[in-house]
Amino acid sequence: MKNKFKNIALICGVSLMAFAASCSDLDDEIKSSSYDRLFSPTAVEARVQNKTNVRLGWTKVLGADSYVIELFANDSLQFEGSPVTTYNEVTDNPYTITGLDGETKYSARIKAVGEKISESKWTGVFFKTDAEQILQSVPEEDLTAFSVTLRWPAGATATEIILNPGNIRHTVTAAEITAGAATIEDLLSETTYTAKLMNGEKTRGSVNFTTLIDLGGATAIKEGDDLQAILNEAEEGAAFVIMSGEFTLGEYALTKSVSLTGYSSNAKPTIHGRFTVGDATVANLVLNNLILSGATEKMQNNLIETTNAAANLQNVELTGCEIRDFANALVYNNAGSTWGTLKIDNCIIDRILGSGGDGIDFRGGSLSSITVTNTTFSNGFRAFLRCQTTAAVSFTNCTFYRVAIVDNSNNSGLFRTTQNGCSLVVKKCLFYGTGVESNQTGNIGVWARTDIKGSEEYADNYYYNCFNLWGAKYADNHSNVATEANPGFKDPENGDYTLSNEDLIFHQIGDPRWY
């Protein structure tokens, strides 16, 4: 959650007037003048980090040797009573204070101190810490279909655990505090819960987890089973849980709704192949917690493709999947087919080569919507989005690394919508290394072609080291589309896009897995 801070500076101003004086002349005059006290710190900012730490920063005061910081709890710039803590002889700027209480309002005030000159007046700022986070992430071994064991540092005080959905309340016992663990039962299977560890009214930690799958309503597929034969024999709407292993599907013509879910997120099963829909209506294709690979004896073209104008694919969901090594596109409709909704969440999509198509490629037909969240796209794609039909399209909290990198005239950049009824929304996304360094002409690697149509909405996007990104439509003005900043990826060449840029982490830009 983004924290907003109010900054109130109590500053004594000096007015210097000189007719036709240059800025440098004014600077020289200020530096050469004598004052009986230091100026107060300005541009004071409080930035909460790691839930219960705060980084205080300010503009350096000329002539100051150090600073004094006073911290007041449960206070909004009143500075009444005694401070919680005083920090003297501070020379670090910014200065980080650690170990504060969670979900607590604080005020801090700062003054400058120097030799042979009076100290400055105070400048104040207030902020509120986030809820603590002492709950540990939940490993699979602490989950069943109907229960969870939650863990935190042994001995840390807590009074209650609250789980939602369901507003389930568990009173923490003395024994559980000593152990730093509590087991909650009677949960629902295959359900995502949010658990909060409480100490009175304050949150000491929160964690999301998903209970395991109850196989009572689904059919288990084990390593060595014939996946093609199982799908051929399946009834409409059948749900399958793939326990583990690798499966060769090849090019599979889908004629009925199906749901395929990997049982373990720590050991996702792999399916080598792709899905096509021809002269059929398919209500749902749900692929969850799988590795989907186009690497077969002959590299598969597209993960999902409709091949006939009569095809009607009403709902596609890709969740928690790793998708890689397809020759052309992720999804493809060049047959005038009917599509409904396409939803992609929490996926890693890598090496979609784009040798004969674009990444998300709809050339006519009909389409209701594309919604993509919390996903990383990397190392491929000729052009990224090609939407030549009316649809509502949105990308939120996605990371793009070396996308739209095929060097040919069919590379039309990142986003192309050609119908006036389209809407395109791109928010909190991060773009790195897009385009082609050796060829920065035409539409190669651009944000959007000049012929883009429909409504566009962009907010809080960032880019770095991109080639030809602002060619064509945005050649002159792109300031409201994206901001340049180096994300400081940890090891991008090996697929680790962990951020080191504190601003991007603070504002939660890109795929959340990399914060």
Side-chain angles (χ1 to χ4, degrees):
M1 181 179 293
K2 185 186 296 183
N3 292 281
K4 296 182 179 178
F5 311 100
K6 295 182 179 178
N7 180 5
I8 299 179
L10 308 175
I11 305 170
C12 178
V14 177
S15 176
L16 300 174
M17 300 180 62
F19 181 72
S22 69
C23 291
S24 59
D25 293 336
L26 289 174
D27 288 342
D28 292 341
E29 184 175 349
I30 290 171
K31 291 176 182 177
S32 63
S33 299
S34 297
Y35 302 96
D36 60 359
R37 72 186 310 156
L38 293 169
F39 286 105
S40 298
T42 60
V44 179
E45 180 189 48
R47 179 172 289 188
V48 174
Q49 297 178 318
N50 297 326
K51 308 298 183 182
T52 58
N53 301 336
V54 66
R55 188 183 76 167
L56 300 173
W58 58 93
T59 301
K60 181 180 178 180
V61 175
L62 187 66
D65 297 312
S66 64
Y67 302 85
V68 177
I69 299 173
E70 291 185 345
L71 186 70
F72 293 76
N74 293 305
D75 183 83
S76 296
L77 293 173
Q78 300 302 309
F79 303 112
E80 296 175 347
S82 300
V84 173
T85 310
T86 299
Y87 304 89
N88 293 303
E89 299 182 355
V90 173
T91 56
D92 292 340
N93 181 8
Y95 184 79
T96 300
I97 300 172
T98 63
L100 303 177
D101 291 335
E103 293 182 309
T104 301
K105 291 181 179 179
Y106 287 93
S107 289
R109 61 182 184 178
I110 304 172
K111 65 180 178 182
V113 178
E115 292 185 6
K116 298 179 182 180
I117 187 171
S118 297
E119 62 192 26
S120 74
K121 293 184 179 180
W122 295 100
T123 301
V125 63
F126 74 86
F127 59 93
K128 183 179 179 181
T129 54
D130 297 328
E132 284 186 89
Q133 180 54 290
I134 66 170
L135 266 183
Q136 299 172 9
S137 59
V138 182
E140 195 165 288
E141 54 266 27
D142 282 341
L143 288 168
T144 72
F146 307 107
S147 69
V148 63
T149 298
L150 300 173
R151 302 184 187 276
W152 63 93
T157 303
T159 58
E160 187 179 32
I161 296 171
I162 303 173
L163 289 87
N164 277 298
N167 193 30
I168 301 166
R169 292 178 177 266
H170 172 89
T171 300
V172 178
T173 67
E176 289 169 339
I177 291 173
T178 300
T183 299
I184 297 95
E185 299 180 332
D186 298 324
L187 304 180
L188 300 175
S189 66
E190 204 176 351
T191 301
T192 300
Y193 286 93
T194 298
K196 287 187 176 182
L197 182 68
M198 307 298 296
N199 187 28
E201 296 297 318
K202 289 191 175 181
T203 303
R204 298 218 65 187
S206 62
V207 67
N208 295 328
F209 63 89
T210 302
T211 50
L212 299 183
I213 299 167
D214 176 18
L215 297 181
T219 301
I221 298 176
K222 299 178 181 178
E223 189 168 9
D225 288 348
D226 188 334
L227 181 58
Q228 272 197 16
I230 290 172
L231 293 179
N232 287 338
E233 296 169 6
E235 296 181 356
E236 166 67 24
F240 297 95
V241 176
I242 304 179
M243 306 306 292
S244 63
E246 295 196 27
F247 302 83
T248 299
L249 183 64
E251 181 176 314
Y252 186 78
L254 193 65
T255 60
K256 68 198 80 172
S257 295
V258 67
S259 171
L260 295 171
T261 298
Y263 183 75
S264 172
S265 59
N266 295 327
K268 295 177 181 178
T270 300
I271 296 176
H272 295 279
R274 73 187 191 113
F275 297 88
T276 64
V277 180
D279 186 6
T281 295
V282 176
N284 291 289
L285 173 59
V286 178
L287 303 174
N288 178 38
N289 201 36
L290 302 167
I291 296 174
L292 301 164
S293 170
T296 59
E297 290 184 4
K298 177 184 177 182
M299 180 176 280
Q300 300 295 320
N301 281 337
N302 318 299
L303 173 62
I304 303 169
E305 179 181 355
T306 49
T307 60
N308 190 298
N312 186 343
L313 185 52
Q314 296 174 1
N315 178 58
V316 176
E317 296 181 24
L318 305 172
T319 306
C321 291
E322 298 174 28
I323 304 168
R324 58 177 62 97
D325 296 321
F326 286 88
N328 290 337
L330 178 66
V331 294
Y332 187 68
N333 175 15
N334 192 22
S337 311
T338 299
W339 284 60
T341 58
L342 170 62
K343 297 178 183 177
I344 303 172
D345 179 61
N346 189 31
C347 291
I348 294 177
I349 301 172
D350 186 46
R351 299 194 298 273
I352 309 297
L353 303 184
S355 59
D358 299 319
I360 299 174
D361 197 336
F362 289 89
R363 307 184 190 188
S366 65
L367 170 68
S368 176
S369 64
I370 301 171
T371 304
V372 186
T373 51
N374 309 321
T375 291
T376 296
F377 298 91
S378 56
N379 300 308
F381 303 93
R382 183 176 72 184
F384 179 68
L385 170 72
R386 180 173 181 171
C387 186
Q388 294 177 270
T389 183
T390 302
V393 183
S394 67
F395 296 86
T396 306
N397 283 111
C398 294
T399 295
F400 297 80
Y401 176 80
R402 297 192 71 245
V403 168
I405 60 172
V406 175
D407 189 359
N408 69 43
S409 60
N410 288 315
N411 181 340
S412 59
L414 296 176
F415 303 109
R416 181 186 181 192
T417 59
T418 64
Q419 304 300 313
N420 287 325
C422 262
S423 63
L424 174 64
V425 178
V426 184
K427 292 184 177 181
K428 299 177 81 70
C429 290
L430 174 59
F431 301 84
Y432 186 106
T434 62
V436 179
E437 183 175 10
S438 61
N439 189 349
Q440 299 182 44
T441 61
N443 291 308
I444 289 178
V446 299
W447 180 277
R449 284 172 44 141
T450 54
D451 62 355
I452 191 169
K453 294 182 180 178
S455 65
E456 301 167 70
E457 181 181 352
Y458 306 124
D460 300 321
N461 300 301
Y462 286 79
Y463 72 96
Y464 191 74
N465 196 34
C466 294
F467 308 108
N468 204 39
L469 188 61
W470 305 120
K473 180 174 182 178
Y474 295 99
D476 297 323
N477 180 16
H478 60 266
S479 58
N480 293 324
V481 178
T483 302
E484 186 173 15
N486 187 347
F489 289 142
K490 185 176 181 179
D491 188 9
E493 292 184 358
N494 291 301
D496 188 345
Y497 309 111
T498 300
L499 298 173
S500 63
N501 184 314
E502 291 185 357
D503 287 337
L504 299 190
I505 297 170
F506 179 76
H507 294 299
Q508 300 182 339
I509 304 302
D511 186 340
R513 80 186 74 234
W514 308 118
Y515 296 164

